Amino acid sequence: MKVKVTGKSDIGLKRKLNEDSLLIAPDLGLYIIADGMGGHKAGEVASRMVVETMADYWRKVRSGKPPSFLHPIGKDLPEAAKHLINSIVLTNIIIHEAQKKPEYHRMGSTVSALLEEEDCIWLANVGDSPVHLFDHGRLIQISQEHSVEAERRNLGLPLDDSFGSTNPVLKNVLTRVLGLAEKVEVYTNPIRPEAGDLILMCSDGLTNYVSEQSIKTILDDFSISSERKVDVLIGEANRGGGGDNVSVILLELLEEGTWQKFKKKLIGKG
């Protein structure tokens, strides 16, 4: 699997600080978007803790000195996936502990992470920073949204105007976030994209200000590079209001060379 990755973060038009943080680390096979929240500068601190803690964790894993597991992970998962979950659990503990400082009280962050591992990519997320697979013109959300609105949708409860007008704040309240509680449940899922597919990671500063159809149109434009697509997506978010920070990471799955394909076939034959 050969992956080309590009990404960028923008403060938007109305925020004084950029509380998003991103990590693009091909050497680790790790890509992260974190959207921080909290008081003055605290969101910025929380999101930076996410990328720094996880990058440090995975440098240890890749060097053959993985950190210890903080608690048993009961799922029947490969070692890499367990370490991905563990790195997020560790991050949650560190952010939660940092809240003992008054200036960091109630700070937190979302996290969406992708990890390259052999024949698949592992997705892990907490919060509402979405990850989408763009496959043959279809934009498919592959992350799990942890918000009040999403929980109501999953339970089959109504999402009509009366719900929004009665308590509009609840529509944006997160049900899972890093740092606010001692423990956190991490959503994980393996994905096996094919050559030509795109994987879009972003903060909700993109999806709240750019329609799904516009995102699909931009991703489907083969006349522009991945780098240009990232710029256009961010530009559209700002043209749509720019009311939030916006971060985008775009992974493009490339066709492998003939030798790599042939070698895989030989390996497959044993």
Coordinates of all heavy atoms in Angstrom, one line a residue, residues 138-192:
R138 N -18.5 8.2 -4.0 CA -19.2 8.1 -2.8 C -18.4 8.6 -1.6 O -17.2 8.2 -1.5 CB -19.6 6.6 -2.5 CG -20.5 6.0 -3.6 CD -20.8 4.5 -3.2 NE -19.5 3.8 -3.1 CZ -19.4 2.6 -2.5 NH1 -20.5 2.1 -1.9 NH2 -18.2 2.0 -2.4
L139 N -19.0 9.4 -0.8 CA -18.3 10.0 0.4 C -18.9 9.2 1.6 O -20.1 9.5 2.0 CB -18.5 11.5 0.5 CG -17.7 12.2 1.6 CD1 -16.2 12.1 1.2 CD2 -18.2 13.6 1.7
I140 N -18.2 8.4 2.2 CA -18.7 7.5 3.3 C -18.0 7.8 4.6 O -16.7 7.7 4.7 CB -18.4 6.0 2.9 CG1 -19.0 5.7 1.5 CG2 -19.0 5.1 4.0 CD1 -18.4 4.4 1.0
Q141 N -18.7 8.2 5.6 CA -18.1 8.5 6.9 C -17.7 7.1 7.6 O -18.6 6.3 7.8 CB -19.0 9.3 7.8 CG -18.4 9.6 9.2 CD -19.1 10.7 9.9 OE1 -19.7 11.6 9.4 NE2 -19.0 10.6 11.3
I142 N -16.4 7.0 7.9 CA -16.0 5.8 8.5 C -15.6 5.9 10.0 O -15.3 4.9 10.7 CB -14.8 5.2 7.7 CG1 -13.7 6.3 7.6 CG2 -15.2 4.7 6.3 CD1 -12.4 5.8 6.9
S143 N -15.6 7.1 10.5 CA -15.4 7.4 11.9 C -16.8 7.3 12.6 O -17.8 7.3 11.9 CB -14.8 8.7 12.1 OG -15.5 9.8 11.6
Q144 N -16.8 7.3 13.9 CA -18.0 7.3 14.7 C -18.2 8.6 15.4 O -17.2 9.1 16.0 CB -18.0 6.2 15.7 CG -19.3 5.9 16.4 CD -19.2 4.7 17.3 OE1 -18.7 4.9 18.5 NE2 -19.7 3.6 16.9
E145 N -19.3 9.3 15.2 CA -19.5 10.6 15.8 C -20.1 10.5 17.2 O -21.1 9.8 17.4 CB -20.5 11.4 14.9 CG -20.8 12.8 15.4 CD -21.7 13.6 14.6 OE1 -21.9 13.2 13.4 OE2 -22.3 14.5 15.1
H146 N -19.4 11.1 18.1 CA -19.8 11.0 19.5 C -20.4 12.4 20.0 O -19.7 13.1 20.7 CB -18.6 10.6 20.4 CG -18.0 9.4 19.9 ND1 -16.6 9.2 19.8 CD2 -18.5 8.2 19.5 CE1 -16.4 8.0 19.4 NE2 -17.5 7.3 19.2
S147 N -21.6 12.6 19.6 CA -22.3 13.8 19.9 C -23.7 13.5 20.3 O -24.2 12.4 20.0 CB -22.3 14.8 18.8 OG -23.1 14.3 17.7
V148 N -24.4 14.4 21.0 CA -25.8 14.2 21.4 C -26.7 14.0 20.1 O -27.5 13.0 20.1 CB -26.3 15.4 22.2 CG1 -27.8 15.3 22.4 CG2 -25.6 15.5 23.5
E149 N -26.4 14.7 19.1 CA -27.2 14.6 17.9 C -27.0 13.2 17.3 O -28.0 12.5 16.9 CB -26.9 15.6 16.9 CG -27.7 15.6 15.6 CD -27.3 16.6 14.6 OE1 -26.1 16.8 14.3 OE2 -28.2 17.3 14.1
A150 N -25.8 12.7 17.2 CA -25.5 11.4 16.7 C -26.1 10.3 17.5 O -26.7 9.3 17.0 CB -24.0 11.2 16.5
E151 N -26.0 10.4 18.9 CA -26.6 9.4 19.8 C -28.1 9.3 19.6 O -28.7 8.2 19.5 CB -26.3 9.8 21.2 CG -24.8 9.8 21.6 CD -24.2 8.4 21.7 OE1 -25.0 7.5 21.6 OE2 -23.0 8.3 21.8
R152 N -28.8 10.5 19.4 CA -30.2 10.5 19.2 C -30.5 9.8 17.8 O -31.5 9.0 17.7 CB -30.8 11.9 19.2 CG -30.8 12.5 20.6 CD -31.3 14.0 20.5 NE -32.7 14.0 20.2 CZ -33.7 13.9 21.1 NH1 -33.5 13.8 22.4 NH2 -35.0 13.9 20.7
R153 N -29.7 10.1 16.9 CA -30.0 9.5 15.5 C -29.8 8.0 15.6 O -30.6 7.2 15.0 CB -29.0 10.1 14.5 CG -29.2 9.7 13.1 CD -28.1 10.2 12.2 NE -27.8 11.6 12.4 CZ -26.6 12.0 12.7 NH1 -25.6 11.2 13.0 NH2 -26.3 13.3 12.9
N154 N -28.8 7.5 16.3 CA -28.5 6.1 16.4 C -29.6 5.4 17.2 O -29.9 4.2 17.0 CB -27.2 5.8 17.1 CG -26.0 6.3 16.2 OD1 -26.1 6.4 15.0 ND2 -24.9 6.6 16.9
L155 N -30.2 6.1 18.1 CA -31.3 5.5 18.9 C -32.7 5.6 18.2 O -33.7 5.1 18.7 CB -31.4 6.2 20.3 CG -30.2 5.9 21.2 CD1 -30.3 6.8 22.5 CD2 -30.2 4.4 21.6
G156 N -32.7 6.3 17.1 CA -33.9 6.4 16.3 C -34.8 7.5 16.9 O -36.0 7.5 16.6
L157 N -34.3 8.4 17.7 CA -35.0 9.5 18.3 C -35.2 10.6 17.3 O -34.3 10.8 16.4 CB -34.4 10.0 19.6 CG -34.3 8.9 20.7 CD1 -33.5 9.5 21.9 CD2 -35.7 8.5 21.1
P158 N -36.2 11.4 17.4 CA -36.5 12.5 16.4 C -35.4 13.6 16.4 O -34.9 13.9 17.5 CB -37.8 13.0 16.7 CG -38.0 12.7 18.2 CD -37.3 11.4 18.4
L159 N -35.1 14.1 15.2 CA -34.1 15.2 15.1 C -34.9 16.4 14.4 O -34.4 16.8 13.4 CB -32.9 14.8 14.4 CG -31.9 13.9 15.2 CD1 -30.8 13.4 14.2 CD2 -31.3 14.6 16.3
D160 N -36.1 16.7 14.8 CA -36.8 17.7 14.1 C -36.5 19.1 14.6 O -35.7 19.3 15.5 CB -38.3 17.4 14.3 CG -38.7 17.3 15.7 OD1 -38.0 17.8 16.6 OD2 -39.8 16.7 16.0
D161 N -37.2 20.1 14.1 CA -37.0 21.5 14.4 C -37.2 21.7 15.9 O -36.6 22.6 16.5 CB -37.9 22.4 13.6 CG -37.4 22.4 12.1 OD1 -36.3 22.0 11.9 OD2 -38.2 22.8 11.3
S162 N -38.2 21.0 16.5 CA -38.5 21.3 17.9 C -37.4 20.9 18.8 O -37.1 21.5 19.8 CB -39.8 20.5 18.3 OG -39.6 19.1 18.2
F163 N -36.7 19.8 18.4 CA -35.5 19.4 19.2 C -34.4 20.5 19.1 O -33.9 20.9 20.1 CB -34.9 18.1 18.7 CG -33.6 17.7 19.2 CD1 -33.4 17.4 20.6 CD2 -32.4 17.8 18.4 CE1 -32.2 17.1 21.1 CE2 -31.2 17.5 19.0 CZ -31.1 17.1 20.3
G164 N -34.1 21.0 17.9 CA -33.1 22.0 17.8 C -33.5 23.3 18.4 O -32.7 24.0 19.1
S165 N -34.8 23.7 18.3 CA -35.2 25.0 18.8 C -35.4 25.0 20.3 O -35.2 26.0 21.0 CB -36.5 25.5 18.2 OG -37.5 24.5 18.4
T166 N -35.7 23.8 20.9 CA -35.9 23.7 22.3 C -34.6 23.7 23.0 O -34.5 24.4 24.1 CB -36.6 22.3 22.6 OG1 -37.8 22.3 22.0 CG2 -36.8 22.2 24.1
N167 N -33.6 23.1 22.5 CA -32.3 23.1 23.2 C -31.2 23.0 22.1 O -30.6 21.9 21.9 CB -32.2 21.9 24.2 CG -31.2 22.2 25.3 OD1 -30.2 23.0 25.1 ND2 -31.4 21.6 26.4
P168 N -30.9 24.1 21.4 CA -30.0 24.0 20.3 C -28.6 23.7 20.7 O -27.8 23.1 19.9 CB -30.1 25.5 19.7 CG -30.6 26.3 20.8 CD -31.5 25.4 21.6
V169 N -28.2 24.0 21.9 CA -26.8 23.7 22.4 C -26.5 22.2 22.4 O -25.4 21.8 22.1 CB -26.6 24.3 23.8 CG1 -25.2 23.9 24.3 CG2 -26.8 25.8 23.8
L170 N -27.6 21.4 22.7 CA -27.4 20.0 22.8 C -26.9 19.3 21.5 O -26.3 18.3 21.5 CB -28.6 19.3 23.3 CG -29.0 19.5 24.8 CD1 -30.3 18.7 25.1 CD2 -27.8 19.0 25.7
K171 N -27.3 20.0 20.4 CA -26.9 19.4 19.1 C -25.4 19.4 18.9 O -24.9 18.6 18.1 CB -27.6 20.2 18.0 CG -29.1 20.2 18.0 CD -29.7 20.8 16.7 CE -29.4 19.9 15.6 NZ -30.2 20.2 14.4
N172 N -24.7 20.2 19.6 CA -23.2 20.3 19.5 C -22.5 19.7 20.7 O -21.2 19.8 20.7 CB -22.8 21.7 19.2 CG -23.3 22.3 17.9 OD1 -23.3 21.6 16.9 ND2 -23.8 23.5 17.9
V173 N -23.2 19.2 21.6 CA -22.5 18.7 22.8 C -21.9 17.3 22.5 O -22.6 16.4 22.0 CB -23.5 18.6 24.0 CG1 -22.9 17.8 25.2 CG2 -24.0 19.9 24.4
L174 N -20.7 17.1 22.9 CA -20.0 15.8 22.7 C -20.3 14.9 23.8 O -20.3 15.2 25.0 CB -18.5 16.0 22.5 CG -18.0 16.9 21.4 CD1 -16.5 16.9 21.3 CD2 -18.6 16.4 20.0
T175 N -20.5 13.6 23.5 CA -20.7 12.6 24.5 C -19.4 11.8 24.8 O -19.4 11.1 25.8 CB -21.8 11.5 24.0 OG1 -21.3 11.0 22.7 CG2 -23.1 12.2 23.8
R176 N -18.4 12.0 24.0 CA -17.1 11.5 24.3 C -16.0 12.5 23.9 O -16.1 13.1 22.8 CB -16.8 10.2 23.5 CG -17.6 9.0 23.9 CD -17.0 7.7 23.2 NE -18.1 6.8 22.9 CZ -17.9 5.7 22.2 NH1 -16.7 5.4 21.8 NH2 -18.9 4.9 22.0
V177 N -15.1 12.7 24.8 CA -14.0 13.7 24.4 C -12.8 13.3 25.3 O -12.9 12.7 26.4 CB -14.5 15.1 24.7 CG1 -14.7 15.4 26.2 CG2 -13.5 16.1 24.2
L178 N -11.6 13.6 24.8 CA -10.4 13.3 25.6 C -10.2 14.3 26.7 O -10.4 15.5 26.5 CB -9.2 13.3 24.7 CG -9.1 12.3 23.6 CD1 -7.7 12.4 22.9 CD2 -9.2 10.9 24.2
G179 N -10.0 13.8 27.9 CA -9.5 14.7 29.0 C -10.6 15.0 30.1 O -10.2 15.3 31.2
L180 N -11.9 14.9 29.8 CA -12.9 15.3 30.7 C -13.2 14.3 31.8 O -13.7 14.6 32.8 CB -14.1 15.8 30.0 CG -14.0 17.0 29.1 CD1 -15.4 17.4 28.6 CD2 -13.3 18.1 29.8
A181 N -12.9 13.0 31.5 CA -13.1 11.9 32.4 C -11.9 11.1 32.6 O -11.0 11.1 31.7 CB -14.3 11.1 32.0
E182 N -11.8 10.3 33.6 CA -10.6 9.5 33.9 C -10.4 8.4 32.8 O -9.3 8.0 32.5 CB -10.6 8.9 35.3 CG -10.5 9.9 36.4 CD -10.5 9.2 37.7 OE1 -10.5 7.9 37.8 OE2 -10.5 9.9 38.8
K183 N -11.6 7.9 32.3 CA -11.5 6.8 31.3 C -12.2 7.3 30.0 O -13.1 8.2 30.1 CB -12.2 5.6 31.8 CG -11.5 5.0 33.1 CD -12.2 3.7 33.5 CE -11.5 3.1 34.7 NZ -12.1 1.9 35.2
V184 N -11.8 6.7 28.9 CA -12.5 7.0 27.6 C -12.6 5.8 26.8 O -11.8 4.9 26.8 CB -11.6 8.1 26.9 CG1 -10.3 7.5 26.4 CG2 -12.4 8.7 25.7
E185 N -13.7 5.7 26.1 CA -13.9 4.6 25.2 C -13.5 5.0 23.8 O -14.0 6.0 23.3 CB -15.4 4.2 25.2 CG -15.7 3.0 24.3 CD -17.1 2.5 24.3 OE1 -17.9 3.1 25.2 OE2 -17.5 1.7 23.5
V186 N -12.7 4.2 23.1 CA -12.1 4.6 21.8 C -12.8 3.7 20.7 O -12.8 2.5 20.9 CB -10.6 4.4 21.8 CG1 -10.0 4.8 20.4 CG2 -9.9 5.1 22.9
Y187 N -13.3 4.4 19.7 CA -13.8 3.6 18.6 C -12.7 3.3 17.6 O -11.8 4.1 17.3 CB -14.8 4.5 17.8 CG -15.3 3.9 16.5 CD1 -16.3 2.8 16.6 CD2 -14.8 4.2 15.3 CE1 -16.7 2.2 15.4 CE2 -15.3 3.7 14.1 CZ -16.2 2.6 14.2 OH -16.7 2.0 13.0
T188 N -12.7 2.0 17.2 CA -11.6 1.6 16.2 C -12.3 0.8 15.1 O -13.3 0.1 15.3 CB -10.6 0.6 16.9 OG1 -11.2 -0.5 17.5 CG2 -9.8 1.4 18.0
N189 N -11.6 0.8 14.0 CA -12.1 0.1 12.8 C -11.0 0.0 11.8 O -10.3 0.9 11.5 CB -13.3 0.9 12.2 CG -14.1 0.1 11.1 OD1 -14.1 -1.1 11.2 ND2 -14.6 0.8 10.1
P190 N -10.8 -1.3 11.2 CA -9.8 -1.4 10.1 C -10.5 -1.1 8.8 O -11.6 -1.5 8.5 CB -9.5 -2.9 10.2 CG -10.7 -3.6 10.8 CD -11.4 -2.5 11.6
I191 N -9.7 -0.4 7.9 CA -10.2 -0.2 6.6 C -9.2 -0.6 5.6 O -8.0 -0.6 5.9 CB -10.6 1.3 6.4 CG1 -9.4 2.2 6.7 CG2 -11.8 1.7 7.2 CD1 -9.6 3.7 6.5
R192 N -9.7 -1.1 4.4 CA -8.8 -1.6 3.4 C -9.1 -0.8 2.1 O -9.7 -1.4 1.2 CB -8.9 -3.1 3.3 CG -8.4 -3.8 4.5 CD -8.6 -5.3 4.4 NE -7.9 -6.0 5.5 CZ -8.3 -6.1 6.7 NH1 -9.5 -5.6 7.0 NH2 -7.6 -6.7 7.7

